[in-house]
Amino acid sequence: MQRIERADYAFGQRLVLLKGNPQTCPAAHLDLLADHTPVGFSDRMDAVTQFLKEGTPLKRPVTPEP
């Protein structure tokens, strides 16, 4: 994980998106992070990055369905 400057957004306006799935993140880190912001996971971070930087549409679903 990388520390970034804290943005001045309300809890409901934040989302931390991590690569992988919850099992790849240490539980203690995930618990601490989830206390401060909603947390999501994606195996397709390249597509998410293109969406955020270039506006490239995301294919559905963003995460694989179980």
Side-chain angles (χ1 to χ4, degrees):
M1 287 186 217
Q2 176 180 345
R3 184 180 177 143
I4 58 174
E5 288 291 324
R6 179 177 291 177
D8 191 21
Y9 291 102
F11 185 87
Q13 295 177 310
R14 302 179 206 164
L15 172 65
V16 170
L17 190 60
L18 301 173
K19 183 176 182 178
N21 58 57
Q23 292 75 26
T24 62
C25 184
H29 292 169
L30 187 54
D31 288 344
L32 182 61
L33 188 57
D35 285 344
H36 299 281
T37 187
V39 178
F41 291 86
S42 177
D43 289 326
R44 296 178 37 211
M45 291 302 285
D46 55 336
V48 172
T49 300
Q50 285 181 331
F51 169 74
L52 293 173
K53 290 184 176 180
E54 303 166 12
T56 304
L58 291 170
K59 295 179 183 173
R60 301 286 182 211
V62 176
T63 58
E65 293 184 12

Short mmCIF file of all heavy atoms in Angstrom, two decimals:
data_model
loop_
_atom_site.label_atom_id
_atom_site.label_comp_id
_atom_site.label_asym_id
_atom_site.label_seq_id
_atom_site.Cartn_x
_atom_site.Cartn_y
_atom_site.Cartn_z
N MET A 1 0.83 -1.17 0.00
CA MET A 1 0.00 0.00 0.00
C MET A 1 0.88 1.23 0.00
O MET A 1 1.98 1.20 0.53
CB MET A 1 -0.90 0.01 1.24
CG MET A 1 -2.01 -0.97 1.18
SD MET A 1 -3.07 -0.73 2.57
CE MET A 1 -3.48 -2.42 2.90
N GLN A 2 0.35 2.27 -0.54
CA GLN A 2 1.09 3.51 -0.64
C GLN A 2 0.33 4.60 0.09
O GLN A 2 -0.88 4.71 -0.03
CB GLN A 2 1.23 3.88 -2.11
CG GLN A 2 1.90 5.18 -2.36
CD GLN A 2 1.99 5.45 -3.85
OE1 GLN A 2 1.80 4.56 -4.67
NE2 GLN A 2 2.23 6.68 -4.20
N ARG A 3 1.02 5.39 0.86
CA ARG A 3 0.37 6.49 1.57
C ARG A 3 0.27 7.70 0.65
O ARG A 3 1.24 8.08 0.01
CB ARG A 3 1.15 6.84 2.82
CG ARG A 3 0.45 7.91 3.62
CD ARG A 3 1.24 8.25 4.85
NE ARG A 3 0.54 9.32 5.52
CZ ARG A 3 0.45 9.43 6.82
NH1 ARG A 3 1.03 8.55 7.59
NH2 ARG A 3 -0.19 10.44 7.36
N ILE A 4 -0.89 8.30 0.60
CA ILE A 4 -1.09 9.50 -0.20
C ILE A 4 -1.68 10.58 0.69
O ILE A 4 -2.17 10.30 1.78
CB ILE A 4 -2.01 9.23 -1.41
CG1 ILE A 4 -3.36 8.70 -0.96
CG2 ILE A 4 -1.36 8.26 -2.38
CD1 ILE A 4 -4.36 8.56 -2.07
N GLU A 5 -1.63 11.79 0.22
CA GLU A 5 -2.21 12.89 0.98
C GLU A 5 -3.69 12.63 1.22
O GLU A 5 -4.40 12.17 0.34
CB GLU A 5 -2.04 14.21 0.22
CG GLU A 5 -0.61 14.72 0.20
CD GLU A 5 -0.14 15.18 1.56
OE1 GLU A 5 -0.93 15.75 2.33
OE2 GLU A 5 1.05 14.95 1.85
N ARG A 6 -4.15 12.96 2.40
CA ARG A 6 -5.56 12.77 2.72
C ARG A 6 -6.38 13.85 2.04
O ARG A 6 -6.13 15.04 2.18
CB ARG A 6 -5.77 12.85 4.23
CG ARG A 6 -7.24 12.68 4.62
CD ARG A 6 -7.42 12.70 6.09
NE ARG A 6 -6.81 11.48 6.63
CZ ARG A 6 -6.76 11.23 7.93
NH1 ARG A 6 -7.23 12.06 8.79
NH2 ARG A 6 -6.20 10.12 8.34
N ALA A 7 -7.32 13.43 1.26
CA ALA A 7 -8.21 14.37 0.58
C ALA A 7 -9.30 14.81 1.55
O ALA A 7 -9.67 14.08 2.46
CB ALA A 7 -8.81 13.71 -0.65
N ASP A 8 -9.82 15.99 1.34
CA ASP A 8 -10.85 16.54 2.21
C ASP A 8 -12.23 16.15 1.68
O ASP A 8 -12.98 16.99 1.20
CB ASP A 8 -10.70 18.06 2.30
CG ASP A 8 -11.56 18.64 3.40
OD1 ASP A 8 -11.97 17.90 4.32
OD2 ASP A 8 -11.86 19.85 3.34
N TYR A 9 -12.54 14.86 1.74
CA TYR A 9 -13.83 14.34 1.29
C TYR A 9 -14.51 13.62 2.45
O TYR A 9 -13.85 13.01 3.29
CB TYR A 9 -13.65 13.34 0.14
CG TYR A 9 -13.18 13.99 -1.14
CD1 TYR A 9 -11.86 13.89 -1.54
CD2 TYR A 9 -14.06 14.70 -1.95
CE1 TYR A 9 -11.42 14.47 -2.71
CE2 TYR A 9 -13.63 15.28 -3.12
CZ TYR A 9 -12.31 15.17 -3.50
OH TYR A 9 -11.89 15.76 -4.66
N ALA A 10 -15.82 13.66 2.45
CA ALA A 10 -16.58 12.94 3.46
C ALA A 10 -16.41 11.43 3.25
O ALA A 10 -16.08 10.97 2.15
CB ALA A 10 -18.06 13.32 3.37
N PHE A 11 -16.68 10.66 4.29
CA PHE A 11 -16.53 9.21 4.23
C PHE A 11 -17.28 8.62 3.04
O PHE A 11 -16.75 7.78 2.33
CB PHE A 11 -17.03 8.58 5.53
CG PHE A 11 -16.80 7.11 5.62
CD1 PHE A 11 -15.61 6.60 6.11
CD2 PHE A 11 -17.78 6.21 5.21
CE1 PHE A 11 -15.39 5.23 6.19
CE2 PHE A 11 -17.58 4.85 5.29
CZ PHE A 11 -16.39 4.36 5.79
N GLY A 12 -18.50 9.07 2.79
CA GLY A 12 -19.31 8.54 1.71
C GLY A 12 -18.84 8.94 0.32
O GLY A 12 -19.35 8.44 -0.67
N GLN A 13 -17.87 9.84 0.24
CA GLN A 13 -17.33 10.28 -1.05
C GLN A 13 -15.98 9.67 -1.36
O GLN A 13 -15.35 10.02 -2.33
CB GLN A 13 -17.20 11.81 -1.07
CG GLN A 13 -18.52 12.53 -0.98
CD GLN A 13 -18.30 14.03 -0.92
OE1 GLN A 13 -17.50 14.53 -0.14
NE2 GLN A 13 -19.02 14.74 -1.77
N ARG A 14 -15.52 8.74 -0.53
CA ARG A 14 -14.21 8.13 -0.71
C ARG A 14 -14.35 6.68 -1.14
O ARG A 14 -15.33 6.02 -0.84
CB ARG A 14 -13.43 8.11 0.61
CG ARG A 14 -13.22 9.43 1.24
CD ARG A 14 -12.48 9.24 2.53
NE ARG A 14 -12.77 10.33 3.42
CZ ARG A 14 -12.54 10.31 4.71
NH1 ARG A 14 -12.02 9.24 5.28
NH2 ARG A 14 -12.83 11.34 5.45
N LEU A 15 -13.34 6.19 -1.80
CA LEU A 15 -13.23 4.77 -2.11
C LEU A 15 -11.76 4.46 -2.36
O LEU A 15 -11.11 5.13 -3.14
CB LEU A 15 -14.03 4.38 -3.36
CG LEU A 15 -13.82 2.95 -3.86
CD1 LEU A 15 -14.33 1.93 -2.83
CD2 LEU A 15 -14.49 2.74 -5.19
N VAL A 16 -11.27 3.47 -1.66
CA VAL A 16 -9.93 2.97 -1.92
C VAL A 16 -10.11 1.67 -2.69
O VAL A 16 -10.82 0.77 -2.24
CB VAL A 16 -9.15 2.73 -0.61
CG1 VAL A 16 -7.86 1.99 -0.89
CG2 VAL A 16 -8.87 4.05 0.07
N LEU A 17 -9.49 1.60 -3.85
CA LEU A 17 -9.58 0.41 -4.68
C LEU A 17 -8.21 -0.26 -4.70
O LEU A 17 -7.22 0.35 -5.12
CB LEU A 17 -10.01 0.80 -6.10
CG LEU A 17 -10.37 -0.34 -7.03
CD1 LEU A 17 -11.53 -1.16 -6.47
CD2 LEU A 17 -10.74 0.22 -8.40
N LEU A 18 -8.15 -1.48 -4.24
CA LEU A 18 -6.90 -2.23 -4.15
C LEU A 18 -6.90 -3.34 -5.18
O LEU A 18 -7.93 -3.90 -5.53
CB LEU A 18 -6.74 -2.83 -2.75
CG LEU A 18 -6.74 -1.84 -1.59
CD1 LEU A 18 -6.74 -2.60 -0.26
CD2 LEU A 18 -5.57 -0.89 -1.68
N LYS A 19 -5.71 -3.67 -5.66
CA LYS A 19 -5.56 -4.75 -6.62
C LYS A 19 -5.66 -6.10 -5.91
O LYS A 19 -5.13 -6.27 -4.82
CB LYS A 19 -4.21 -4.65 -7.33
CG LYS A 19 -3.99 -5.68 -8.39
CD LYS A 19 -2.70 -5.47 -9.11
CE LYS A 19 -2.52 -6.49 -10.22
NZ LYS A 19 -1.29 -6.26 -10.96
N GLY A 20 -6.34 -7.03 -6.55
CA GLY A 20 -6.43 -8.37 -5.99
C GLY A 20 -7.76 -8.62 -5.32
O GLY A 20 -8.81 -8.22 -5.82
N ASN A 21 -7.70 -9.27 -4.16
CA ASN A 21 -8.90 -9.59 -3.41
C ASN A 21 -8.60 -9.46 -1.92
O ASN A 21 -7.44 -9.30 -1.54
CB ASN A 21 -9.39 -11.00 -3.78
CG ASN A 21 -8.34 -12.04 -3.52
OD1 ASN A 21 -7.86 -12.18 -2.41
ND2 ASN A 21 -7.97 -12.79 -4.55
N PRO A 22 -9.62 -9.50 -1.07
CA PRO A 22 -9.37 -9.30 0.37
C PRO A 22 -8.36 -10.27 0.98
O PRO A 22 -7.68 -9.92 1.94
CB PRO A 22 -10.76 -9.50 0.99
CG PRO A 22 -11.72 -9.17 -0.10
CD PRO A 22 -11.04 -9.62 -1.37
N GLN A 23 -8.25 -11.47 0.42
CA GLN A 23 -7.30 -12.45 0.97
C GLN A 23 -5.85 -12.06 0.71
O GLN A 23 -4.95 -12.58 1.36
CB GLN A 23 -7.58 -13.84 0.40
CG GLN A 23 -8.89 -14.44 0.85
CD GLN A 23 -10.12 -13.84 0.19
OE1 GLN A 23 -10.05 -13.32 -0.92
NE2 GLN A 23 -11.24 -13.89 0.87
N THR A 24 -5.59 -11.16 -0.25
CA THR A 24 -4.22 -10.75 -0.55
C THR A 24 -3.74 -9.61 0.33
O THR A 24 -2.58 -9.24 0.27
CB THR A 24 -4.08 -10.33 -2.03
OG1 THR A 24 -4.93 -9.20 -2.28
CG2 THR A 24 -4.43 -11.48 -2.96
N CYS A 25 -4.63 -9.06 1.14
CA CYS A 25 -4.29 -7.92 1.99
C CYS A 25 -4.26 -8.38 3.44
O CYS A 25 -5.18 -9.08 3.88
CB CYS A 25 -5.35 -6.84 1.80
SG CYS A 25 -5.02 -5.31 2.68
N PRO A 26 -3.22 -8.00 4.21
CA PRO A 26 -3.21 -8.38 5.63
C PRO A 26 -4.46 -7.86 6.33
O PRO A 26 -4.86 -6.70 6.16
CB PRO A 26 -1.95 -7.69 6.17
CG PRO A 26 -1.09 -7.46 4.97
CD PRO A 26 -2.03 -7.24 3.83
N ALA A 27 -5.11 -8.72 7.09
CA ALA A 27 -6.38 -8.39 7.75
C ALA A 27 -6.27 -7.14 8.61
O ALA A 27 -7.18 -6.31 8.62
CB ALA A 27 -6.87 -9.58 8.57
N ALA A 28 -5.17 -6.99 9.34
CA ALA A 28 -5.01 -5.82 10.21
C ALA A 28 -4.98 -4.53 9.39
O ALA A 28 -5.56 -3.52 9.79
CB ALA A 28 -3.75 -5.95 11.05
N HIS A 29 -4.30 -4.56 8.24
CA HIS A 29 -4.24 -3.37 7.37
C HIS A 29 -5.61 -3.07 6.80
O HIS A 29 -6.03 -1.91 6.75
CB HIS A 29 -3.26 -3.58 6.23
CG HIS A 29 -1.84 -3.64 6.67
ND1 HIS A 29 -0.83 -4.03 5.84
CD2 HIS A 29 -1.25 -3.38 7.85
CE1 HIS A 29 0.32 -4.01 6.48
NE2 HIS A 29 0.09 -3.62 7.72
N LEU A 30 -6.31 -4.09 6.37
CA LEU A 30 -7.63 -3.91 5.79
C LEU A 30 -8.61 -3.37 6.82
O LEU A 30 -9.39 -2.46 6.52
CB LEU A 30 -8.13 -5.25 5.22
CG LEU A 30 -9.42 -5.20 4.43
CD1 LEU A 30 -9.34 -4.19 3.30
CD2 LEU A 30 -9.74 -6.58 3.89
N ASP A 31 -8.57 -3.88 8.03
CA ASP A 31 -9.44 -3.38 9.09
C ASP A 31 -9.18 -1.91 9.38
O ASP A 31 -10.11 -1.12 9.52
CB ASP A 31 -9.26 -4.19 10.38
CG ASP A 31 -9.85 -5.58 10.30
OD1 ASP A 31 -10.67 -5.83 9.38
OD2 ASP A 31 -9.49 -6.42 11.16
N LEU A 32 -7.92 -1.54 9.47
CA LEU A 32 -7.56 -0.15 9.73
C LEU A 32 -8.02 0.75 8.61
O LEU A 32 -8.60 1.82 8.84
CB LEU A 32 -6.05 -0.03 9.93
CG LEU A 32 -5.51 1.36 10.26
CD1 LEU A 32 -6.11 1.87 11.57
CD2 LEU A 32 -4.00 1.33 10.35
N LEU A 33 -7.79 0.35 7.39
CA LEU A 33 -8.19 1.13 6.23
C LEU A 33 -9.71 1.27 6.16
O LEU A 33 -10.24 2.35 5.93
CB LEU A 33 -7.64 0.48 4.97
CG LEU A 33 -7.79 1.23 3.66
CD1 LEU A 33 -7.13 2.60 3.74
CD2 LEU A 33 -7.19 0.43 2.53
N ALA A 34 -10.41 0.17 6.39
CA ALA A 34 -11.87 0.17 6.30
C ALA A 34 -12.52 1.02 7.39
O ALA A 34 -13.67 1.44 7.24
CB ALA A 34 -12.40 -1.26 6.36
N ASP A 35 -11.79 1.30 8.47
CA ASP A 35 -12.32 2.21 9.50
C ASP A 35 -12.41 3.64 8.99
O ASP A 35 -13.12 4.46 9.57
CB ASP A 35 -11.42 2.18 10.74
CG ASP A 35 -11.61 0.93 11.58
OD1 ASP A 35 -12.63 0.22 11.39
OD2 ASP A 35 -10.73 0.66 12.42
N HIS A 36 -11.68 3.96 7.93
CA HIS A 36 -11.59 5.34 7.45
C HIS A 36 -12.19 5.56 6.07
O HIS A 36 -12.40 6.72 5.68
CB HIS A 36 -10.12 5.78 7.44
CG HIS A 36 -9.52 5.74 8.80
ND1 HIS A 36 -9.74 6.72 9.74
CD2 HIS A 36 -8.73 4.82 9.40
CE1 HIS A 36 -9.12 6.42 10.87
NE2 HIS A 36 -8.49 5.26 10.68
N THR A 37 -12.43 4.51 5.32
CA THR A 37 -12.96 4.67 3.97
C THR A 37 -13.51 3.35 3.46
O THR A 37 -13.03 2.29 3.89
CB THR A 37 -11.86 5.19 3.02
OG1 THR A 37 -12.42 5.50 1.76
CG2 THR A 37 -10.75 4.19 2.85
N PRO A 38 -14.49 3.37 2.57
CA PRO A 38 -14.90 2.12 1.94
C PRO A 38 -13.74 1.55 1.12
O PRO A 38 -12.96 2.31 0.52
CB PRO A 38 -16.05 2.54 1.02
CG PRO A 38 -16.55 3.83 1.60
CD PRO A 38 -15.35 4.49 2.17
N VAL A 39 -13.63 0.24 1.08
CA VAL A 39 -12.53 -0.43 0.38
C VAL A 39 -13.12 -1.40 -0.64
O VAL A 39 -14.07 -2.13 -0.34
CB VAL A 39 -11.63 -1.20 1.37
CG1 VAL A 39 -10.51 -1.93 0.65
CG2 VAL A 39 -11.07 -0.26 2.42
N GLY A 40 -12.55 -1.39 -1.83
CA GLY A 40 -12.95 -2.33 -2.87
C GLY A 40 -11.73 -2.99 -3.45
O GLY A 40 -10.59 -2.54 -3.24
N PHE A 41 -11.93 -4.05 -4.20
CA PHE A 41 -10.83 -4.80 -4.82
C PHE A 41 -11.14 -5.04 -6.28
O PHE A 41 -12.30 -5.17 -6.67
CB PHE A 41 -10.63 -6.14 -4.12
CG PHE A 41 -10.08 -6.01 -2.73
CD1 PHE A 41 -10.91 -5.81 -1.66
CD2 PHE A 41 -8.72 -6.07 -2.50
CE1 PHE A 41 -10.42 -5.67 -0.37
CE2 PHE A 41 -8.20 -5.94 -1.23
CZ PHE A 41 -9.06 -5.73 -0.16
N SER A 42 -10.10 -5.09 -7.11
CA SER A 42 -10.27 -5.40 -8.52
C SER A 42 -9.03 -6.10 -9.04
O SER A 42 -7.90 -5.76 -8.68
CB SER A 42 -10.49 -4.12 -9.34
OG SER A 42 -10.60 -4.43 -10.72
N ASP A 43 -9.25 -7.10 -9.89
CA ASP A 43 -8.15 -7.77 -10.57
C ASP A 43 -7.84 -7.09 -11.89
O ASP A 43 -6.93 -7.49 -12.60
CB ASP A 43 -8.49 -9.24 -10.83
CG ASP A 43 -8.51 -10.06 -9.54
OD1 ASP A 43 -7.72 -9.76 -8.64
OD2 ASP A 43 -9.32 -10.99 -9.46
N ARG A 44 -8.61 -6.07 -12.23
CA ARG A 44 -8.45 -5.38 -13.52
C ARG A 44 -8.04 -3.92 -13.31
O ARG A 44 -8.66 -3.00 -13.84
CB ARG A 44 -9.77 -5.47 -14.29
CG ARG A 44 -10.12 -6.90 -14.64
CD ARG A 44 -11.43 -7.05 -15.35
NE ARG A 44 -11.70 -5.98 -16.28
CZ ARG A 44 -12.93 -5.54 -16.57
NH1 ARG A 44 -13.97 -6.09 -16.00
NH2 ARG A 44 -13.11 -4.57 -17.43
N MET A 45 -7.01 -3.70 -12.54
CA MET A 45 -6.58 -2.34 -12.23
C MET A 45 -6.12 -1.58 -13.47
O MET A 45 -6.25 -0.36 -13.52
CB MET A 45 -5.48 -2.34 -11.16
CG MET A 45 -5.98 -2.78 -9.79
SD MET A 45 -7.33 -1.77 -9.14
CE MET A 45 -6.42 -0.32 -8.67
N ASP A 46 -5.62 -2.27 -14.48
CA ASP A 46 -5.21 -1.60 -15.71
C ASP A 46 -6.42 -0.92 -16.36
O ASP A 46 -6.35 0.22 -16.81
CB ASP A 46 -4.54 -2.56 -16.68
CG ASP A 46 -5.41 -3.78 -17.00
OD1 ASP A 46 -6.29 -4.14 -16.19
OD2 ASP A 46 -5.20 -4.36 -18.07
N ALA A 47 -7.55 -1.61 -16.37
CA ALA A 47 -8.78 -1.04 -16.95
C ALA A 47 -9.29 0.12 -16.10
O ALA A 47 -9.75 1.14 -16.62
CB ALA A 47 -9.85 -2.11 -17.09
N VAL A 48 -9.19 -0.01 -14.78
CA VAL A 48 -9.63 1.06 -13.89
C VAL A 48 -8.74 2.29 -14.08
O VAL A 48 -9.24 3.42 -14.16
CB VAL A 48 -9.61 0.60 -12.41
CG1 VAL A 48 -9.88 1.75 -11.46
CG2 VAL A 48 -10.61 -0.53 -12.19
N THR A 49 -7.44 2.10 -14.19
CA THR A 49 -6.52 3.21 -14.42
C THR A 49 -6.82 3.90 -15.74
O THR A 49 -6.86 5.14 -15.81
CB THR A 49 -5.06 2.71 -14.41
OG1 THR A 49 -4.79 2.14 -13.13
CG2 THR A 49 -4.09 3.85 -14.66
N GLN A 50 -7.08 3.14 -16.80
CA GLN A 50 -7.43 3.75 -18.09
C GLN A 50 -8.73 4.53 -17.98
O GLN A 50 -8.86 5.61 -18.56
CB GLN A 50 -7.55 2.68 -19.17
CG GLN A 50 -6.22 2.15 -19.62
CD GLN A 50 -6.37 1.11 -20.72
OE1 GLN A 50 -7.36 0.41 -20.79
NE2 GLN A 50 -5.36 1.03 -21.58
N PHE A 51 -9.69 4.02 -17.23
CA PHE A 51 -10.95 4.72 -17.04
C PHE A 51 -10.72 6.06 -16.32
O PHE A 51 -11.24 7.10 -16.73
CB PHE A 51 -11.92 3.86 -16.24
CG PHE A 51 -13.14 4.60 -15.78
CD1 PHE A 51 -14.14 4.93 -16.68
CD2 PHE A 51 -13.30 4.96 -14.45
CE1 PHE A 51 -15.28 5.62 -16.27
CE2 PHE A 51 -14.42 5.64 -14.03
CZ PHE A 51 -15.41 5.97 -14.95
N LEU A 52 -9.92 6.03 -15.25
CA LEU A 52 -9.69 7.25 -14.48
C LEU A 52 -8.86 8.28 -15.23
O LEU A 52 -9.10 9.48 -15.13
CB LEU A 52 -9.00 6.90 -13.15
CG LEU A 52 -9.86 6.09 -12.17
CD1 LEU A 52 -9.03 5.66 -10.98
CD2 LEU A 52 -11.08 6.89 -11.73
N LYS A 53 -7.87 7.83 -15.98
CA LYS A 53 -6.98 8.76 -16.68
C LYS A 53 -7.48 9.18 -18.04
O LYS A 53 -7.26 10.32 -18.47
CB LYS A 53 -5.59 8.14 -16.82
CG LYS A 53 -4.85 8.02 -15.50
CD LYS A 53 -3.45 7.48 -15.72
CE LYS A 53 -2.68 7.46 -14.42
NZ LYS A 53 -1.33 6.95 -14.60
N GLU A 54 -8.14 8.27 -18.75
CA GLU A 54 -8.50 8.53 -20.15
C GLU A 54 -9.99 8.49 -20.42
O GLU A 54 -10.43 8.80 -21.53
CB GLU A 54 -7.80 7.50 -21.05
CG GLU A 54 -6.30 7.49 -20.89
CD GLU A 54 -5.65 6.27 -21.52
OE1 GLU A 54 -6.34 5.54 -22.26
OE2 GLU A 54 -4.47 6.03 -21.24
N GLY A 55 -10.77 8.07 -19.44
CA GLY A 55 -12.21 7.96 -19.66
C GLY A 55 -12.62 6.75 -20.48
O GLY A 55 -13.75 6.69 -20.96
N THR A 56 -11.72 5.79 -20.63
CA THR A 56 -12.03 4.57 -21.38
C THR A 56 -13.12 3.80 -20.64
O THR A 56 -12.96 3.49 -19.47
CB THR A 56 -10.77 3.68 -21.51
OG1 THR A 56 -9.74 4.44 -22.11
CG2 THR A 56 -11.04 2.45 -22.34
N PRO A 57 -14.23 3.47 -21.30
CA PRO A 57 -15.32 2.77 -20.62
C PRO A 57 -14.85 1.43 -20.04
O PRO A 57 -14.02 0.74 -20.62
CB PRO A 57 -16.36 2.54 -21.73
CG PRO A 57 -16.04 3.55 -22.77
CD PRO A 57 -14.56 3.77 -22.71
N LEU A 58 -15.41 1.09 -18.89
CA LEU A 58 -15.12 -0.19 -18.25
C LEU A 58 -16.08 -1.24 -18.76
O LEU A 58 -17.27 -0.98 -18.91
CB LEU A 58 -15.27 -0.08 -16.73
CG LEU A 58 -14.25 0.76 -16.00
CD1 LEU A 58 -14.68 0.98 -14.56
CD2 LEU A 58 -12.89 0.10 -16.05
N LYS A 59 -15.57 -2.43 -19.03
CA LYS A 59 -16.42 -3.56 -19.35
C LYS A 59 -17.04 -4.07 -18.06
O LYS A 59 -16.42 -4.01 -17.01
CB LYS A 59 -15.62 -4.67 -20.02
CG LYS A 59 -15.08 -4.26 -21.37
CD LYS A 59 -14.27 -5.39 -21.98
CE LYS A 59 -13.67 -4.94 -23.30
NZ LYS A 59 -12.75 -5.92 -23.86
N ARG A 60 -18.23 -4.54 -18.13
CA ARG A 60 -18.91 -5.06 -16.94
C ARG A 60 -18.72 -6.56 -16.85
O ARG A 60 -18.69 -7.22 -17.87
CB ARG A 60 -20.39 -4.73 -17.00
CG ARG A 60 -20.66 -3.26 -17.08
CD ARG A 60 -20.40 -2.61 -15.76
NE ARG A 60 -20.72 -1.17 -15.86
CZ ARG A 60 -20.10 -0.26 -15.16
NH1 ARG A 60 -19.14 -0.59 -14.35
NH2 ARG A 60 -20.43 1.00 -15.26
N PRO A 61 -18.62 -7.13 -15.70
CA PRO A 61 -18.43 -6.47 -14.40
C PRO A 61 -16.98 -6.03 -14.22
O PRO A 61 -16.08 -6.56 -14.86
CB PRO A 61 -18.79 -7.56 -13.40
CG PRO A 61 -18.42 -8.82 -14.10
CD PRO A 61 -18.69 -8.57 -15.57
N VAL A 62 -16.78 -5.04 -13.34
CA VAL A 62 -15.43 -4.55 -13.06
C VAL A 62 -14.62 -5.62 -12.34
O VAL A 62 -13.44 -5.76 -12.55
CB VAL A 62 -15.48 -3.24 -12.23
CG1 VAL A 62 -14.08 -2.79 -11.86
CG2 VAL A 62 -16.20 -2.16 -13.01
N THR A 63 -15.27 -6.38 -11.51
CA THR A 63 -14.61 -7.50 -10.83
C THR A 63 -15.24 -8.80 -11.31
O THR A 63 -16.41 -8.82 -11.68
CB THR A 63 -14.74 -7.41 -9.30
OG1 THR A 63 -16.12 -7.38 -8.96
CG2 THR A 63 -14.05 -6.17 -8.78
N PRO A 64 -14.48 -9.88 -11.33
CA PRO A 64 -15.04 -11.17 -11.77
C PRO A 64 -16.20 -11.59 -10.88
O PRO A 64 -16.16 -11.38 -9.67
CB PRO A 64 -13.88 -12.14 -11.65
CG PRO A 64 -12.67 -11.32 -11.46
CD PRO A 64 -13.10 -9.98 -10.95
N GLU A 65 -17.21 -12.17 -11.46
CA GLU A 65 -18.32 -12.68 -10.66
C GLU A 65 -17.95 -14.04 -10.09
O GLU A 65 -17.26 -14.81 -10.74
CB GLU A 65 -19.57 -12.79 -11.53
CG GLU A 65 -20.10 -11.44 -11.97
CD GLU A 65 -21.39 -11.55 -12.74
OE1 GLU A 65 -22.02 -12.63 -12.75
OE2 GLU A 65 -21.78 -10.54 -13.32
N PRO A 66 -18.40 -14.31 -8.86
CA PRO A 66 -18.05 -15.60 -8.24
C PRO A 66 -18.67 -16.78 -8.95
O PRO A 66 -19.56 -16.72 -9.68
CB PRO A 66 -18.59 -15.49 -6.82
CG PRO A 66 -19.38 -14.25 -6.74
CD PRO A 66 -19.18 -13.48 -8.02
#
